[in-house]
Amino acid sequence: MESLRSRLYDLLPDSEQVVFTMKGAVTSLLAASAGLAIASPPSEVPYYGRSPPVYPSPIGNGTSNEKWATAYSHARSLVSQMSVEERVNITRGWTGTCVGNSGEVPRLGVPALCFSDAPDGVRGQEFVSAFPAGIHVAATWDKDLMYRYGRALGEEFYGKGINVALGPVAGPLGRIARGGRNWEGLSNDPYLAGAGMGAITKGIQDAGVIATPKHWLLNEQEFRRRESSLGEAVSANVDDRTLHELYVFPFMDALREGAGSVMCSYQRANQSYGCQNSKLLNGILKTELAFEGFVVSDWGAQHSGVASANAGLDLVMPDGGFWGNNLTQAVNNGSVSEDRLSDMATRILASWYYLHQPNTFPPPAVCPNTQKHFAVDVQDDHAALIEEIGAAGTVLVKNVNNTLPFKKPKFLCVYGYDATLKASPWANPARYGGGYEVNAGWNTLNGTMITGGGSGGSSPPYVVSPFQAIQERITKDRGILRWDFFSENPGTPYVNAEACLVFINAYGSESFDRPSLQDGFSDRLVNNVAAMCSNTIVVVHSTGIRTVDAWIDHPNVTAVVFGGLPGQESGHSLVSVLYGNVNPSGRLPYTVAKQESDYGALLNSSVSLDWFPDDDFSEGLYIDYRAFDKNGIEPRFEFGFGLSYTAFNFSSLSVTKDTASNLAELPDPKVAIVQGGHPQLWDIVAVVSCTVSNSGKLDGTEVAQLYIGIPGDDTPVRQLRGFSRVGPLAPGQARKAVFELTRRDLSVWDVTAQQWRLRRGEYKIYVGASSRDLRLDGTLTI
Ligand code: NOJ
């Protein structure tokens, strides 16, 4: 059977349809031999499990706006002077000092472009900052901070001479609760993720660096994300409507802000590999969303030569892949048209011009850590922003009897491996400080966690641990500390201690999905401390969801903080929240369930051992809070939840429809599509507002959240479609929160019309403090 499999595989051409048919053939053969019946994929749902061919690849034309038009005219004139070999050379990667380097054409002054990770800071370099991870930024629910984050990141990439930053991330979106890379992205809600994708992309590009939203598309799990000895990569099988409303949605915001590059993903999508999927690349990205820039492969994600070129891949990384000289041959024999080759080269250079990089861009200052070099310091004053975002994304979820903020305690105890830099005798301090595998050390062995593992991990210049910052702070009050970072059961209570802080974490990384959303050691540690200390405060640093039911209701657990992945200023950010210098306004960007099984089929990645493994997204639109709402499951802490040291009132809801807008059901088909989609999708068609007032005793900031219920029984009861971080407000102070709803925000993807469509009828409008704490409601009729 094995040899039959590999013979069949050898025969596989690159076309999606054939892969699908062959998959069926292999499965049938294997199953028939085992006497098993075969389940067929649901056929009534368009595209479910099939990726329709979309050819030819659209030629980029720069018609989105003036800026793209100018960039295209420069790029075209340069490309017209290039030989086939020169054009081929810039569509491939070469070994160099960056994680990716494109080919150069010195004769025409085209340099090798430098590509670098990560989405939360320049990876593996010295004198760069470690910013909070994407999921932490999302927890701020603050578009201004999101923009400033992108801008500061972009400045660091720029200073290091990196032309292309490999981020931000909306794939994974976070469909799977245990997904290993969810923390690199923003939120499993497409609207919140989209707000971040747009703002961060704009920030990076305003600093002169090409942003690369990734991974396009459906890279929702790590298990079998790539081909291996087990067989082909997993296929994410999703229907057309879900594809658009959940997974494409946040990328639209990044494209709308002018993203110059997009990275295609490792896994298969509807049976066709991400980097040769003509529906995703030629169809959705380059036609429907009129992408003007270039598609770069994830590293080693190319699976074919001619097919990937014709399906819309423009640049292969990190080497020649299936192209190199073969692409020259393919163009010479007509398998790939010369126009397609010119389009690839033009798209790459158009993005380079679009960001004004020719002539002015600093030379690459990226060096292997093993080489002595003059290191360019790009940190600037970003530490202050990092501390601010670190605090703003910290989420307080339990606070009994105003345990927090601290009132100048004189005696605190600190417990747990996550409180400090080096927790155990087995930790290797030399591994602390940047690089790909190095970041895999930010876990229970190596101490406090500020980022996750793999290529998305940042490279901190230093780390302010929680213990360091608490120590700095308590000594100002001439207080004392006792600590034990190591024991599972710290034992003897210190009777004079005013509070015990327990630090635990939940690690996640590229390359594998999380085995669990909790761990026994940490849960026992919390319970053991709580057993001896009547004022136990738990701080969780996590790469996403962390279940807490093993101890959340313990009467001695008086406060709980989700500290996220805060970056290098971790301790300072936390202490400012603990002591009330910052009143917490972070809100959960995901649902924390009471038990892991509440996530149902979306707890784990698909673990099929088939040669062609499938992952059917049969839940459709119902992930995270959409699923909890649909199935009537009460979460422990709902999406959007977070406490404050003060209280807020919501009042005066107003809903107005923009009567000037053309609310015909479909956008006008005569209007040309520009990058990001049909321009009318971004028209504001309704405005909702309300008043938020501080009814408590302390200054504080509230995140007002707008949820809508789209008419019809095939839509989630509530979906986030607006948020506004209001404050800081003094006690008694009030301010208006305004939510502008675009046509896209109110539309569903109509699979027949292949367009976003408003629904006639009554839209439900809810405004509140979380997805379940809804304070005001109204309607909007279209
Ligand atoms: C593979 C990862 O999936 C991608 O996100 C990263 O940018 C590249 N490796 C380069 O390190």
Side-chain angles (χ1 to χ4, degrees):
M1 195 48 77
E2 195 49 51
S3 69
L4 172 65
R5 259 188 200 163
S6 46
R7 282 221 321 281
L8 283 170
Y9 180 57
D10 284 345
L11 289 171
L12 287 182
D14 304 316
S15 134
E16 300 96 357
Q17 293 300 308
V18 179
V19 171
F20 180 71
T21 318
M22 299 301 275
K23 177 238 168 191
V26 174
T27 314
S28 312
L29 275 170
L30 291 175
S33 68
L36 295 174
I38 310 278
S40 33
S43 53
E44 69 280 9
V45 192
Y47 309 140
Y48 190 89
R50 293 179 180 77
S51 198
V54 181
Y55 298 99
S57 193
I59 307 272
N61 55 27
T63 49
S64 285
N65 55 40
E66 276 295 305
K67 212 177 139 195
W68 273 115
T70 311
Y72 261 82
S73 81
H74 288 307
R76 283 212 172 109
S77 95
L78 208 52
V79 169
S80 68
Q81 302 166 55
M82 290 181 186
S83 66
V84 167
E85 287 77 7
E86 284 169 334
R87 277 173 277 169
V88 164
N89 195 48
I90 65 170
T91 66
R92 59 160 294 183
W94 291 97
T95 305
T97 51
C98 307
V99 67
N101 308 269
S102 62
E104 56 187 353
V105 185
R107 181 177 76 84
L108 296 170
V110 176
L113 302 184
C114 170
F115 291 64
S116 176
D117 297 312
D120 54 359
V122 177
R123 174 164 68 86
Q125 295 299 307
E126 297 162 5
F127 298 97
V128 296
S129 305
F131 292 81
I135 202 163
H136 195 101
V137 183
T140 68
W141 296 64
D142 183 322
K143 287 170 216 164
D144 179 53
L145 283 180
M146 291 168 178
Y147 172 78
R148 287 165 59 207
Y149 173 83
R151 176 85 201 213
L153 272 174
E155 285 166 7
E156 298 209 359
F157 282 89
Y158 186 93
K160 288 284 185 189
I162 298 161
N163 303 79
V164 185
L166 301 175
V169 175
L173 184 68
R175 168 182 179 258
I176 298 297
R178 290 179 175 174
R181 298 185 82 175
N182 293 354
W183 58 276
E184 291 186 49
L186 293 133
S187 164
N188 51 33
D189 178 85
Y191 183 88
L192 180 54
M197 289 294 281
I200 296 168
T201 298
K202 180 165 168 32
I204 292 174
Q205 297 207 157
D206 282 356
V209 170
I210 299 172
T212 311
K214 67 185 187 184
H215 307 84
W216 178 267
L217 196 66
L218 304 170
N219 191 164
E220 295 297 323
Q221 70 173 57
E222 292 301 285
F223 185 70
R224 299 192 70 179
R225 66 175 178 155
R226 303 185 70 171
E227 70 285 6
S228 70
S229 56
L230 291 175
E232 297 302 318
V234 70
S235 176
N237 301 327
V238 60
D239 70 86
D240 191 31
R241 183 171 163 208
T242 305
L243 183 79
H244 281 83
E245 293 185 25
L246 287 189
Y247 301 100
V248 169
F249 193 109
F251 281 92
M252 291 173 76
D253 295 86
L255 293 168
R256 169 86 178 157
E257 293 298 346
S261 167
V262 164
M263 185 188 290
C264 55
S265 59
Y266 279 133
Q267 92 302 330
R268 295 179 301 139
N270 287 336
Q271 310 298 339
S272 169
Y273 271 106
C275 290
Q276 63 188 49
N277 187 312
S278 67
K279 172 67 183 174
L280 290 185
L281 303 179
N282 289 341
I284 301 181
L285 186 60
K286 290 184 174 177
T287 306
E288 218 174 281
L289 300 176
F291 179 49
E292 306 271 16
F294 63 92
V295 176
V296 58
S297 76
D298 198 341
W299 271 227
Q302 195 195 35
H303 284 267
S304 61
V306 170
S308 63
N310 289 336
L313 178 67
D314 301 305
L315 173 56
V316 58
M317 282 290 173
D319 47 27
F322 286 83
W323 290 351
N325 293 337
N326 297 335
L327 185 56
T328 310
Q329 209 186 333
V331 170
N332 289 337
N333 72 21
S335 313
V336 173
S337 71
E338 197 170 333
D339 283 352
R340 176 75 265 266
L341 174 66
S342 297
D343 180 50
M344 296 176 188
T346 306
R347 285 172 176 274
I348 296 166
L349 296 179
S351 293
W352 183 54
Y353 279 112
Y354 183 73
L355 272 299
H356 304 292
Q357 292 188 350
N359 310 321
T360 56
F361 209 73
V366 175
C367 301
N369 277 327
T370 48
Q371 183 184 308
K372 185 132 180 84
H373 59 278
F374 174 71
V376 180
D377 180 354
V378 295
Q379 299 168 96
D380 203 352
D381 59 359
H382 298 153
L385 176 66
I386 291 168
E387 182 181 338
E388 185 181 350
I389 298 173
T394 297
V395 187
L396 178 71
V397 296
K398 181 174 181 183
N399 192 23
V400 178
N401 295 334
N402 301 322
T403 297
L404 295 174
F406 282 145
K407 291 123 201 124
K408 297 200 175 182
K410 297 275 280 183
F411 189 163
L412 293 174
C413 294
V414 178
Y415 298 108
Y417 55 86
D418 183 71
T420 186
L421 295 189
K422 180 174 174 285
S424 87
W426 303 298
N428 175 356
R431 291 187 58 207
Y432 213 76
Y436 197 96
E437 79 295 340
V438 176
N439 290 312
W442 301 92
N443 56 20
T444 49
L445 285 185
N446 273 5
T448 197
M449 195 172 72
I450 62 148
T451 185
S455 67
S458 56
S459 300
Y462 59 83
V463 172
V464 177
S465 73
F467 181 72
Q468 178 189 333
I470 292 166
Q471 183 157 268
E472 282 169 10
R473 184 64 185 77
I474 199 165
T475 50
K476 285 190 189 150
D477 302 325
R478 302 188 61 189
I480 67 159
L481 291 178
R482 293 286 181 265
W483 61 89
D484 178 345
F485 305 132
F486 186 54
S487 307
E488 181 179 303
N489 188 353
T492 343
Y494 294 93
V495 288
N496 285 325
E498 290 158 71
C500 302
L501 290 144
V502 193
F503 289 85
I504 60 173
N505 68 40
Y507 180 66
S509 173
E510 180 180 355
S511 301
F512 57 90
D513 297 305
R514 293 168 58 193
S516 171
L517 299 179
Q518 26 106 205
D519 71 277
F521 178 91
S522 305
D523 284 345
R524 286 190 296 275
L525 171 65
V526 172
N527 277 318
N528 290 337
V529 172
M532 62 159 182
C533 182
S534 62
N535 192 17
T536 297
I537 298 164
V538 185
V539 178
V540 184
H541 287 119
S542 68
T543 48
I545 300 164
R546 204 308 180 173
T547 50
V548 294
D549 270 50
W551 38 261
I552 193 73
D553 285 331
H554 194 299
N556 289 348
V557 172
T558 50
V560 178
V561 173
F562 271 63
L565 293 175
Q568 70 193 39
E569 290 287 330
S570 174
H572 288 152
S573 301
L574 180 73
V575 161
S576 63
V577 171
L578 296 178
Y579 278 76
N581 304 73
V582 169
N583 189 340
S585 64
R587 302 291 181 257
L588 292 174
Y590 46 72
T591 299
V592 177
K594 290 185 173 166
Q595 47 194 352
E596 297 201 45
S597 56
D598 288 345
Y599 296 101
L602 300 184
L603 174 64
N604 279 316
S605 42
S606 154
V607 291
S608 160
L609 292 178
D610 289 354
W611 187 261
F612 289 96
D614 283 306
D615 187 8
D616 293 338
F617 289 28
S618 48
E619 73 286 349
L621 299 171
Y622 300 93
I623 66 170
D624 200 75
Y625 69 89
R626 290 162 172 80
F628 281 71
D629 288 347
K630 181 179 185 219
N631 301 326
I633 300 173
E634 199 192 321
R636 170 55 59 195
F637 298 121
E638 73 272 16
F639 176 85
F641 175 74
L643 297 171
S644 166
Y645 299 147
T646 187
F648 300 95
N649 264 337
F650 289 70
S651 60
S652 316
L653 182 74
S654 133
V655 181
T656 51
K657 191 162 69 177
D658 180 1
T659 43
S661 299
N662 172 11
L663 292 186
E665 289 181 342
L666 291 172
D668 184 349
K670 301 186 294 294
V671 173
I673 310 293
V674 296
Q675 180 163 317
H678 194 298
Q680 289 174 348
L681 293 177
W682 306 92
D683 289 350
I684 293 160
V685 298
V687 178
V688 175
S689 68
C690 72
T691 302
V692 178
S693 58
N694 184 344
S695 55
K697 295 195 179 68
L698 295 170
D699 288 7
T701 299
E702 175 64 303
V703 177
Q705 302 167 35
L706 166 71
Y707 294 84
I708 65 161
I710 298 176
D713 55 10
D714 58 349
T715 56
V717 302
R718 265 181 293 285
Q719 308 195 64
L720 182 76
R721 282 296 188 266
F723 60 89
S724 173
R725 190 164 177 250
V726 189
L729 299 175
Q733 198 186 350
R735 202 175 292 167
K736 202 168 168 186
V738 179
F739 313 93
E740 294 180 326
L741 287 158
T742 66
R743 176 190 283 271
R744 180 191 63 158
D745 298 338
L746 294 174
S747 293
V748 297
W749 177 255
D750 183 322
V751 297
T752 313
Q754 287 292 295
Q755 189 51 274
W756 294 89
R757 184 195 281 267
L758 291 169
R759 283 211 166 148
R760 299 275 158 206
E762 196 170 88
Y763 284 70
K764 298 264 191 303
I765 304 286
Y766 309 91
V767 177
S770 81
S771 62
R772 291 196 166 210
D773 184 3
L774 306 164
R775 311 281 185 86
L776 305 168
D777 59 272
T779 57
L780 167 73
T781 305
I782 288 187

